[in-house]
Amino acid sequence: MGRSRRTLPEELLLLALDPATGTTAQPQSLDLGLAGAQLVELALAGRIAPDGDRIAVVVPRPTGDPTLDCALELLRRRGAPVRAVHWIGGPRLGLRQTYLSHLERCGMVHAVAGQMCGVLPTTRYQATDNEISREIRARLDSAIRTGVPPDPRTAALAALAHAVGLGKHLYPGNEGRSSRSRLRDLIRHDPMGGLVAHAVMDVQNGAAAQPRRSPAPAGRQAAPGGRATAEPARGVPVQPRRGAMARVVAH
């Protein structure tokens, strides 16, 4: 993958970077968004593909981007397609800092050391070229304003921006309400971006649970905990299990 084009994780991070404060908006959900953006970027590079609600590696060849290739190798080691919601919800310690350091090495941001309350050391990041951030923002603004279906990369970026809660950062206040709504609607223009964005929101909502169970077959009724139990034949008394008490098992 050539370095003439920024990756989606880089663009998402630049969108989230506040030029006034040097901090990132929505830091907690942003980590999830960066993990999701890696998946979309790998899909755009032809390395992975959606398989229902799962992600499958189709070409394990490295992209040339070390951070993306680390994610690709981890996916390959799984051996089987992994649910997007489980991948995004997994441990992602330091991913935001990894990309901030990467942007610094590329000369897109520079670190500014400081202190909080005069004691705790802090690091803020200022964009070295605001034109890059303006160009990224202009693509979103154009897609929102014109209503023309955007290219897959811009559609995925919009979906991820909405999923991590950047809408209020990019389009604040009552005057930005319609723009935030249209930003959300752009999620439908890229299948992979939509899959990943919904997975990001599911993780935030605590919905990264087990897949839905199939309905119980006819003649069987669901027991507490989702198990199916045999329906007793009409007229035949049910014999209690010896020495056992009914218990509800939480799954």
Side-chain angles (χ1 to χ4, degrees):
M1 178 180 295
R3 295 305 304 150
S4 60
R5 184 172 63 187
R6 294 176 300 274
T7 65
L8 271 174
E10 294 166 8
E11 292 194 328
L12 183 65
L13 188 52
L14 287 171
L15 269 183
L17 194 62
D18 190 320
T21 65
T23 60
T24 54
Q26 304 294 334
Q28 301 302 319
S29 56
L30 184 58
D31 287 343
L32 303 176
L34 291 172
Q38 287 184 318
L39 293 180
V40 179
E41 189 65 50
L42 287 170
L44 290 171
R47 301 311 196 265
I48 65 175
D51 181 7
D53 67 343
R54 297 174 182 269
I55 303 299
V57 175
V58 292
V59 177
R61 186 176 69 252
T63 65
D65 181 299
T67 310
L68 288 176
D69 288 341
C70 179
L72 179 62
E73 176 61 15
L74 289 174
L75 285 167
R76 187 193 66 80
R77 289 179 183 176
R78 294 292 185 96
V82 58
R83 291 184 69 205
V85 71
H86 287 166
W87 172 261
I88 291 170
R92 293 289 178 272
L93 295 177
L95 189 57
R96 183 163 28 105
Q97 185 58 50
T98 295
Y99 272 105
L100 283 169
S101 299
H102 171 72
L103 290 178
E104 185 181 17
R105 289 193 301 271
C106 293
M108 295 188 200
V109 302
H110 69 275
V112 180
Q115 288 183 330
M116 180 183 296
C117 302
V119 179
L120 299 176
T122 62
T123 303
R124 301 178 184 274
Y125 292 86
Q126 300 290 341
T128 56
D129 186 356
N130 288 326
E131 184 60 31
I132 295 176
S133 297
R134 285 194 291 267
E135 181 272 327
I136 298 170
R137 174 69 178 270
R139 283 164 43 209
L140 287 186
D141 290 345
S142 177
I144 287 173
R145 183 179 63 254
T146 64
V148 176
D151 62 274
R153 180 174 293 274
T154 301
L157 181 62
L160 288 163
H162 166 71
V164 302
L166 289 183
K168 291 184 178 180
H169 168 71
L170 299 171
Y171 307 103
N174 288 333
E175 64 276 13
R177 184 177 299 173
S178 60
S179 292
R180 294 195 299 270
S181 177
R182 288 193 289 270
L183 180 71
R184 180 194 63 219
D185 292 342
L186 290 176
I187 201 171
R188 70 182 187 274
H189 289 294
D190 180 59
M192 184 66 181
L195 168 66
V196 169
H198 280 112
V200 169
M201 291 185 284
D202 283 347
V203 173
Q204 294 180 80
N205 295 331
Q210 298 297 322
R212 294 179 182 177
R213 293 183 174 90
S214 301
R220 298 172 71 87
Q221 52 189 352
R227 296 185 195 174
T229 57
E231 182 179 351
R234 190 170 300 174
V236 178
V238 178
Q239 298 297 326
R241 286 167 33 178
R242 185 173 303 171
M245 297 180 64
R247 291 180 296 179
V248 177
V249 180
H251 292 277

